[in-house]
């Protein structure tokens, strides 16, 4: 099984977990999918692609840490996130 296939399977699992409302778990699965794509890019000597994947994975990991610490806003509605009113 290639890293691309494994990453795609993990992407589908992460999307399903997101659909079920388990975003915390989905982010973890997405990070593993990103690792698969990093290895795939490295194997194919696509170093620019690997750099973009590393940057995206870093932001995903930071989001994971922010969720874990409880600092993440709970709503996607701008009105609910506006604390100034």
């Amino acid at each position: 099984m290639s890293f691309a296939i494994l990453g795609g399977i993990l992407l589908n699992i992460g999307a399903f977990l997101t659909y079920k409302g388990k975003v915390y778990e989905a982010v973890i699965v997405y990070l593993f999918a990103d690792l698969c794509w990093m290895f795939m890019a490295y194997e194919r000597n696509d170093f620019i692609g690997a750099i973009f994947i590393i940057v995206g994975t870093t932001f995903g990991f930071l989001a994971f840490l922010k969720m874990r610490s409880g600092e993440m806003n709970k709503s996607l509605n701008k009105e609910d996130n506006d604390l100034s009113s």
Side-chain angles (χ1 to χ4, degrees):
M1 182 179 302
S2 72
F3 283 118
I5 292 172
L6 184 57
I9 291 169
L10 290 170
L11 178 68
N12 282 286
I13 293 170
F16 179 75
L17 289 171
T18 302
Y19 175 76
K20 294 300 249 178
K22 298 181 178 190
V23 177
Y24 184 75
E25 292 87 351
V27 171
I28 296 169
V29 174
Y30 286 139
L31 289 173
F32 282 114
D34 291 339
L35 287 174
C36 290
W37 292 321
M38 270 190 267
F39 288 126
M40 180 187 68
Y42 178 77
E43 279 184 342
R44 297 175 186 233
N45 295 321
D46 183 5
F47 299 112
I48 294 173
I51 289 170
F52 281 117
I53 295 166
I54 290 168
V55 170
T57 302
T58 302
F59 282 122
F61 183 68
L62 292 172
F64 169 79
L65 292 176
K66 194 172 183 180
M67 277 190 279
R68 188 170 160 223
S69 69
E71 296 175 25
M72 188 73 74
N73 287 330
K74 306 287 189 258
S75 176
L76 296 177
N77 297 324
K78 186 175 181 178
E79 298 82 30
D80 293 342
N81 290 332
D82 187 13
L83 299 176
S84 63
S85 56

